[in-house]
Amino acid sequence: MKNYKNFFFELDGVLASPPMLPNMENSSQIFSNDGFFDNLKPVPQVIQIMDRLIENGNSVYILSATTSNSMCWERKKSWISENLPNIPEENIFFVARSSEKSTMFSWLSKFLGISKYETVLVDDSRQTIESVRGAYGNAIHISELLTDYYDY
C-alpha cells in the first residue's frame, strides 16, 4: 500500500456502519439522540486491516466529524474505546463538519510532525476525499484500501 506510514480513518462509514441510514429530514435530532452511536456496528474487515497496520509499526488515527453536541462527541469516544482498543485517546480527533477535515488533516500532519507523503486519509465520502486531495494530498476511498490491502 504505497509508502504510507500514517493512516487517518473516518469513523462513520469506514470503521463503523450504522444499522440503517437515518431519515435526513430529522438528521440533527437523530444524531443528537442518546444511543445513536451505540448502535453503530464495527466493520471487521477494516478493523482487521487497521490492527495489522498498527502491528506493522504504522501510526493510526481517527479523524471524524461530529456535531457540536457534546453528547455525540462522548458517544463516539465511548464507541471507539469499546470497539477500537488499539487506538489511544491522543490519536482521536474530531471536527465539527466533514468540510473541515481537509484543513484539520493538513494541520494535524504539521502538528504531529509527520510527512504528508507518508500520510493518508481513509474516508467514505468522495467530496471529503477530493477536498483533502486538493488541499493536502493523500486521501483514498475505503473501497480502495480494501482492494489494495487484500491485493498487497
Side-chain angles (χ1 to χ4, degrees), residues 3-9 57-63 90-93 103-121 132 136-138:
N3 292 321
Y4 299 133
K5 295 180 181 177
N6 309 292
F7 293 80
F8 285 80
F9 284 86
N58 296 287
S59 296
V60 173
Y61 306 88
I62 304 294
L63 177 57
E90 62 268 15
N91 286 19
I92 302 168
F93 303 96
T103 302
M104 181 64 132
F105 187 65
S106 178
W107 182 85
L108 281 170
S109 67
K110 293 172 187 169
F111 175 76
L112 297 169
I114 54 181
S115 168
K116 71 178 187 175
Y117 302 107
E118 297 176 340
T119 305
V120 65
L121 172 69
V132 168
Y136 182 72
N138 302 312

Side-chain angles (χ1 to χ4, degrees), residues 1 5 13 58 60 65 77-78 82-83 98 105 117 133 147:
M1 162 138 297
K5 295 180 181 177
N58 296 287
V60 173
K77 270 184 59 177
S78 176
E82 290 173 22
N83 294 282
S98 288
F105 187 65
Y117 302 107
R133 286 179 180 167
T147 302

Side-chain angles (χ1 to χ4, degrees), residues 1-36:
M1 162 138 297
K2 297 199 178 183
N3 292 321
Y4 299 133
K5 295 180 181 177
N6 309 292
F7 293 80
F8 285 80
F9 284 86
E10 162 62 277
L11 180 62
D12 313 303
V14 174
L15 293 165
S17 178
M20 61 180 234
L21 294 176
N23 175 348
M24 295 314 288
E25 290 179 19
N26 300 319
S27 65
S28 61
Q29 181 180 4
I30 289 168
F31 289 115
S32 64
N33 281 346
D34 191 30
F36 174 79

Side-chain angles (χ1 to χ4, degrees), residues 55-132:
E55 288 171 14
N56 291 334
N58 296 287
S59 296
V60 173
Y61 306 88
I62 304 294
L63 177 57
S64 189
T66 188
T67 66
S68 58
N69 179 325
S70 63
M71 182 174 29
C72 291
W73 183 84
E74 287 298 328
R75 288 293 191 191
K76 277 192 171 186
K77 270 184 59 177
S78 176
W79 190 96
I80 292 168
S81 71
E82 290 173 22
N83 294 282
L84 306 172
N86 290 337
I87 303 295
E89 189 170 343
E90 62 268 15
N91 286 19
I92 302 168
F93 303 96
F94 294 116
V95 292
R97 292 179 293 281
S98 288
S99 61
E100 297 172 353
K101 281 187 190 173
S102 60
T103 302
M104 181 64 132
F105 187 65
S106 178
W107 182 85
L108 281 170
S109 67
K110 293 172 187 169
F111 175 76
L112 297 169
I114 54 181
S115 168
K116 71 178 187 175
Y117 302 107
E118 297 176 340
T119 305
V120 65
L121 172 69
V122 180
D123 208 297
D124 64 326
S125 164
R126 293 278 180 203
Q127 185 175 1
T128 298
I129 291 166
E130 292 306 318
S131 175
V132 168

